[in-house]
């Protein structure tokens, strides 16, 4: 097995002996399989407004014996919990002061905890690092008491040295014991900052409030995430000089400073941060590191998005602010449209650089129009070197500004190509003909037992089902999880659907509709809108949902060999399950993390597309707080640490 290890001593394991002559050899029974006791479907009002985790884990050993271990769920922190000088989830500005009147958030306390990493430091401390999915972003490190498993302190992680962070969504832990997180900037696309003399139909002009901060509306009074994101980071930076007529550049704000993979490490007793610009700018959900410590895969959330691979020049063994490597984007060839589809995968090379090189380009403050000429896609002059592409759900007409077209911002064509590869990654990938057609790419998880990684597609629709390009699948609003098969160099070459959601048809004569259709849009015995993934060994993949098509978001355990799917947890209605599934030893205890994001907020819908019993969401504000929790009771040493 590659870079996964299994402790031989399992609490409560049986013993057998082999005897020969006067010698006796003690053998420890090895665990060979794990199963979680299944949960039923929540049906009552009380069940729908509660959270629940399966009560036991069943371990099978090499002699066929089984042992049950009781499990429990414990809340560690909720949004706004005070501890020391801070409140958990409190959003702070560049000076470390609480923020208020935030354009995009509901207040200064976030209800949106997301990814976790469990970090043991060199001085013997245990921390859970938690994302908060907001613009501006926030990460908190919560120190755990190894004896009681209670939070003993919380510390906001300071990103001021890199201009702050944004929409910190999913994350992972590296083999060198640091945290990686995705800046899911979503709508912070430079195409919205370009007027191009009226040639760009995606033009946006963001409104300002009386204090000079951008609101979440454009000049037409319509809500626009781009404007809200700019306004949120603007408030973080305290930058009142952002110019909407000059690419939204400000004294401190720059669109090209956000949308990357960030790293957090505990170095010499304090938290250090880095932005890895060579991972590329798009809408990164997360990154996961392969066992070679140099190959990473990154997903891209939204419509008309990509799948990316980064190969570093050298394996990493410790926190390093300046990665160097080559970035690639997936190009797929569809072989089948059945069961979520099967594809051959190849990789389009975008560029090679170091983080420091890309940061130097950002510091030149280029605009999109310094990298590409932009024309109206409805009359794209392809005879003049322009290409018509679609990315982020937007048709665009672009021409790379090299040679006679090169901007004075750049010293060479090579520098322009670096800017396009790492600052306009998705546009450049589409420009080069890669498959920018993935729809809502979410979680990733590596499986060392089968040398594969798993990839969650929240919904098969839009760019994956539009009848154009490289990917053409039947629509499935419930989504799918895919397996990507790797070669010995961790290069993915095949992609295939393995866990598929099941829509409930709008048919009164359909038995599923009759039984479930008034409450559920996706069948409750199948996944819906998969998001977080984690492989924990024993052919077991954990799958967390982010859905409004199940009344309660579920967590599933899926056996990648047998295909058995077991429901093992649910969140209160209106909540997403997040923070799934950092795990590891804390003192003498083994834990898995499981967060509950914004309970009683999302509206869920039935098979007819109608909202279901909105009184479930009629909760007071305190009940809508996000939760950081842990699953306790797993035997020490049982689960494989695959990062």
């Amino acid at each position: 097995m590659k870079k996964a290890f299994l402790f031989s001593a399992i609490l409560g394991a049986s013993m057998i002996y082999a005897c020969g002559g006067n010698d006796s050899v003690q053998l420890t029974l090895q665990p060979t399989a794990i199963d979680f006791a299944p949960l039923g479907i929540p049906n009552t009002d009380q069940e729908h407004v509660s959270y629940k985790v399966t009560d036991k884990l069943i371990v099978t050993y090499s002699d066929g014996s089984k042992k049950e271990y009781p499990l429990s769920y414990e809340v560690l922190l909720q949004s706004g919990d005070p501890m020391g000088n801070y409140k958990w989830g409190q959003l702070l500005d560049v000076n470390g002061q609480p923020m208020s009147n935030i354009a995009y958030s509901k207040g200064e306390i976030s209800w949106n905890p997301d990814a976790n990493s469990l970090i043991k430091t060199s001085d013997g401390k245990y921390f859970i690092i938690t994302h908060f999915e907001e613009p501006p972003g926030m990460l908190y490190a919560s120190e755990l008491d190894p004896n009681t498993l209670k939070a003993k302190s919380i510390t906001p992680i300071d990103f001021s040295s890199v201009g702050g962070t944004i929409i910190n969504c999913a994350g992972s832990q590296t083999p060198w014991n640091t945290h990686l997180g995705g800046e899911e900037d979503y709508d912070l696309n430079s195409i919205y900052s370009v007027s191009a003399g009226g040639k760009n139909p995606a033009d946006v002009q963001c409104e300002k409030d009386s204090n000079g901060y951008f609101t979440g509306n454009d000049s037409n009074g319509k809500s626009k995430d781009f404007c809200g994101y700019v306004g949120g980071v603007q408030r973080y930076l305290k930058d009142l000089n952002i110019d909407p007529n000059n690419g939204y550049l400000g004294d401190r704000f720059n669109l090209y400073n956000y949308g990357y993979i960030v790293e957090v490490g505990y170095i010499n007793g304090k938290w250090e941060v880095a932005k890895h610009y060579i991972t590329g700018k798009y809408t990164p959900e997360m990154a996961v590191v392969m066992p070679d410590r140099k190959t990473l895969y990154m997903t891209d959330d939204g419509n008309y998005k990509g799948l990316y691979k980064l190969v570093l020049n050298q394996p990493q063994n410790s926190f390093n602010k300046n990665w160097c490597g080559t970035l690639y984007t997936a190009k797929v060839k569809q072989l089948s449209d059945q069961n979520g589809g099967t594809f051959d995968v190849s990789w389009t090379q975008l560029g090679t650089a170091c983080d420091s090189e890309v940061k130097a380009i950002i510091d030149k403050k280029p605009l999109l129009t310094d990298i590409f000429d932009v024309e109206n896609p409805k009359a794209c002059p392809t005879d003049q070197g322009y290409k018509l592409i679609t990315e982020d759900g937007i048709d665009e007409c672009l021409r790379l500004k090299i040679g006679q077209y090169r901007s004075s911002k750049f010293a060479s064509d090579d520098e322009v190509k670096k800017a396009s590869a790492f600052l306009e990654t998705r546009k450049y990938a589409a420009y080069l003909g890669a498959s920018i057609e993935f729809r809502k790419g979410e979680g990733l998880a590596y499986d060392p037992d089968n040398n594969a990684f798993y990839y969650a597609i929240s919904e098969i629709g839009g760019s994956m089902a539009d009848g154009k390009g490289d990917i053409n699948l039947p629509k499935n609003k419930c989504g799918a999880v895919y397996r990507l098969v790797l070669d010995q160099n961790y290069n993915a070459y095949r992609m295939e659907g393995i866990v598929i959601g099941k829509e409930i048809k709008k048919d009164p004569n359909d038995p599923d509709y009759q039984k479930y259709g008034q409450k559920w849009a996706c069948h409750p015995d199948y996944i819906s809108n998969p998001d977080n993934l984690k492989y924990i060994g024993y052919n077991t993949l954990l799958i967390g949902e982010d859905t409004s098509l199940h009344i309660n978001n579920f967590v599933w355990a899926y056996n990648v060999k047998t295909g058995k799917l077991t429901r093992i947890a649910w969140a209160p209605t209106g909540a997403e399950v997040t923070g799934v599934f950092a795990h590891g030893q804390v003192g003498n205890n083994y834990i898995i993390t499981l967060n509950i994001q914004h309970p009683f907020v999302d509206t869920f819908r039935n098979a007819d597309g109608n909202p279901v019993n909105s009184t479930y969401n009629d909760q007071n504000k305190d009940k809508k707080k996000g939760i950081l929790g842990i699953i306790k009771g797993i035997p020490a040493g049982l689960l494989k640490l695959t990062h």
Side-chain angles (χ1 to χ4, degrees):
M1 293 185 296
K2 298 183 179 67
K3 216 56 188 175
F5 50 91
L6 178 63
F7 295 86
S8 60
I10 305 296
L11 296 182
S14 303
M15 309 297 293
I16 60 175
Y17 296 85
C19 300
N22 295 324
D23 297 323
S24 176
V25 179
Q26 179 176 309
L27 302 176
T28 303
L29 289 178
Q30 296 293 322
T32 58
I34 61 172
D35 290 283
F36 293 89
L39 290 181
I41 298 169
N43 285 311
T44 67
D45 287 354
Q46 182 177 357
E47 287 175 325
H48 287 315
V49 300
S50 69
Y51 54 77
K52 189 170 185 178
V53 170
T54 181
D55 61 357
K56 60 186 174 184
L57 175 70
I58 304 100
V59 180
T60 302
Y61 293 96
S62 52
D63 68 343
S65 63
K66 296 179 184 290
K67 184 174 177 63
E68 295 182 355
Y69 296 91
L71 302 179
S72 61
Y73 183 73
E74 183 170 326
V75 174
L76 297 183
L77 290 164
Q78 290 185 277
S79 297
D81 280 357
M83 193 167 290
N85 296 323
Y86 304 105
K87 298 175 183 178
W88 193 68
Q90 186 172 42
L91 303 179
L92 307 176
D93 67 19
V94 68
N95 301 314
Q97 298 302 305
M99 296 179 63
S100 59
N101 190 31
I102 299 167
Y104 194 75
S105 174
K106 293 177 173 62
E108 70 175 46
I109 305 294
S110 175
W111 297 345
N112 297 320
D114 208 293
N116 296 321
S117 280
L118 181 61
I119 303 289
K120 182 182 179 182
T121 66
S122 58
D123 54 2
K125 296 178 180 179
Y126 298 88
F127 291 92
I128 295 177
I129 294 177
T130 304
H131 285 182
F132 285 85
E133 194 177 4
E134 301 279 0
M138 270 314 290
L139 281 74
Y140 273 81
S142 306
E143 185 179 358
L144 299 185
D145 184 314
N147 298 312
T148 65
L149 294 183
K150 304 293 185 183
K152 57 188 292 187
S153 70
I154 57 175
T155 303
I157 295 175
D158 182 7
F159 274 80
S160 61
S161 63
V162 292
T165 185
I166 191 170
I167 314 287
N168 302 105
C169 195
S172 66
Q173 191 168 336
T174 68
W176 52 92
N177 198 38
T178 62
H179 169 78
L180 294 182
E183 291 188 313
E184 191 189 38
D185 67 0
Y186 226 88
D187 236 9
L188 205 64
N189 189 329
S190 61
I191 197 68
Y192 296 122
S193 70
V194 177
S195 65
K199 299 172 183 176
N200 176 17
D203 286 352
V204 170
Q205 286 288 314
C206 297
E207 291 182 343
K208 294 182 181 180
D209 63 19
S210 59
N211 296 313
Y213 290 117
F214 291 105
T215 71
N217 294 327
D218 68 12
S219 56
N220 295 318
K222 296 180 180 179
S223 177
K224 189 68 188 174
D225 283 346
F226 173 84
C227 300
Y229 292 179
V230 172
V233 181
Q234 179 189 30
R235 285 168 169 78
Y236 169 84
L237 294 169
K238 305 300 181 186
D239 188 348
L240 289 172
N241 293 319
I242 297 176
D243 185 357
N245 296 312
N246 188 33
Y248 286 83
L249 286 173
D251 294 337
R252 302 181 185 90
F253 181 77
N254 186 330
L255 290 172
Y256 289 129
N257 200 40
Y258 309 95
Y260 305 95
I261 298 299
V262 299
E263 185 175 15
V264 178
Y266 190 79
I267 312 298
N268 298 323
K270 65 177 184 178
W271 296 104
E272 297 281 354
V273 303
K275 285 198 180 185
H276 291 304
Y277 304 103
I278 63 166
T279 57
K281 174 177 168 57
Y282 33 94
T283 310
E285 174 82 9
M286 67 174 296
V288 64
V289 183
M290 296 294 103
D292 63 357
R293 296 177 176 237
K294 58 184 289 189
T295 304
L296 294 85
Y297 287 93
M298 292 83 64
T299 54
D300 189 7
D301 195 357
N303 198 31
Y304 286 93
K305 300 298 177 81
L307 176 65
Y308 305 93
K309 178 178 71 171
L310 176 67
V311 180
L312 301 176
N313 291 353
Q314 300 293 333
Q316 300 298 298
N317 295 305
S318 61
F319 178 77
N320 176 8
K321 291 188 176 183
N322 189 37
W323 287 356
C324 300
T326 302
L327 183 62
Y328 302 84
T329 308
K331 173 74 173 177
V332 300
K333 178 182 179 182
Q334 185 168 313
L335 306 176
S336 168
D337 67 357
Q338 299 300 300
N339 197 45
T342 303
F343 305 86
D344 281 339
V345 182
S346 59
W347 296 92
T348 300
Q349 182 172 325
L350 300 180
T352 300
C354 296
D355 288 326
S356 56
E357 291 179 83
V358 181
K359 180 60 167 63
I361 294 174
I362 294 171
D363 289 345
K364 291 185 176 186
K365 295 188 174 182
L367 306 180
L368 170 60
T369 48
D370 291 313
I371 302 171
F372 288 100
D373 284 317
V374 180
E375 281 286 350
N376 192 326
K378 294 181 179 179
C380 188
T382 54
D383 59 338
Q384 298 176 32
Y386 285 84
K387 293 183 180 181
L388 184 63
I389 68 163
T390 304
E391 62 94 25
D392 204 16
I394 304 165
D395 292 334
E396 298 166 15
C397 179
L398 306 176
R399 180 176 62 192
L400 190 64
K401 296 188 73 167
I402 56 176
Q404 62 178 318
Y405 307 112
R406 191 172 71 235
S407 165
S408 60
K409 291 277 182 75
F410 298 111
S412 66
D413 286 356
D414 182 64
E415 192 176 34
V416 177
K417 291 178 180 178
K418 276 188 169 62
S420 60
F422 299 104
L423 305 187
E424 292 292 355
T425 307
R426 195 169 47 229
K427 290 179 175 60
Y428 192 48
Y431 192 83
L432 294 180
S435 300
I436 304 301
E437 297 176 52
F438 293 93
R439 166 77 173 168
K440 290 196 64 61
E442 303 280 357
L444 289 172
Y446 175 66
D447 170 0
D449 297 326
N450 300 288
N451 196 31
F453 74 85
Y454 305 106
Y455 174 29
I457 291 286
S458 183
E459 175 190 352
I460 300 175
S463 51
M464 296 182 72
D466 61 0
K468 299 184 293 185
D470 297 330
I471 303 175
N472 290 290
L473 299 173
K475 291 183 179 180
N476 185 335
K477 63 186 177 185
C478 308
V481 176
Y482 291 82
R483 177 193 290 117
L484 281 96
V485 184
L486 307 176
D487 64 20
Q488 62 184 359
N489 296 315
Y490 304 104
N491 177 66
Y493 64 89
R494 178 67 62 88
M495 174 176 162
E496 56 195 10
I498 58 169
V499 194
I500 313 299
K502 182 180 181 182
E503 296 184 21
I504 296 177
K505 299 177 182 177
K506 301 177 185 179
D507 180 358
N509 297 316
D510 186 282
D512 286 340
Y513 180 88
Q514 294 171 2
K515 187 174 183 178
Y516 300 115
Q518 295 308 304
K519 279 191 173 182
W520 308 84
C522 293
H523 197 295
D525 285 334
Y526 297 78
I527 63 169
S528 178
N529 304 138
D531 194 329
N532 284 208
L533 302 176
K534 186 67 178 181
Y535 183 80
I536 58 173
Y538 308 99
N539 294 309
T540 300
L541 177 69
L542 301 184
I543 305 170
E545 296 180 343
D546 175 11
T547 184
S548 60
L549 305 178
H550 279 169
I551 296 177
N552 297 82
N553 278 228
F554 297 140
V555 178
W556 304 86
Y558 175 74
N559 189 299
V560 300
K561 288 292 190 183
T562 67
K564 181 182 178 182
L565 184 66
T566 304
R567 186 186 305 103
I568 66 170
W570 72 64
T573 185
E576 175 188 345
V577 287
T578 59
V580 191
F581 307 88
H583 64 88
Q585 191 87 8
V586 179
N588 294 320
N589 302 281
Y590 207 92
I591 64 170
I592 294 179
T593 66
L594 175 60
N595 295 349
I596 297 171
Q597 186 181 103
H598 59 62
F600 310 109
V601 171
D602 284 348
T603 299
F604 43 92
R605 297 184 179 275
N606 64 16
D608 295 322
N610 298 321
V612 180
N613 195 354
S614 62
T615 58
Y616 289 146
N617 287 25
D618 187 18
Q619 303 289 329
N620 64 45
K621 190 172 182 179
D622 283 343
K623 291 187 177 180
K624 297 182 179 182
K625 293 178 177 180
I627 293 172
L628 167 62
I630 56 174
I631 300 173
K632 299 167 57 178
I634 297 164
L638 174 67
L639 300 185
K640 301 176 182 181
L641 303 180
T642 60
H643 302 291

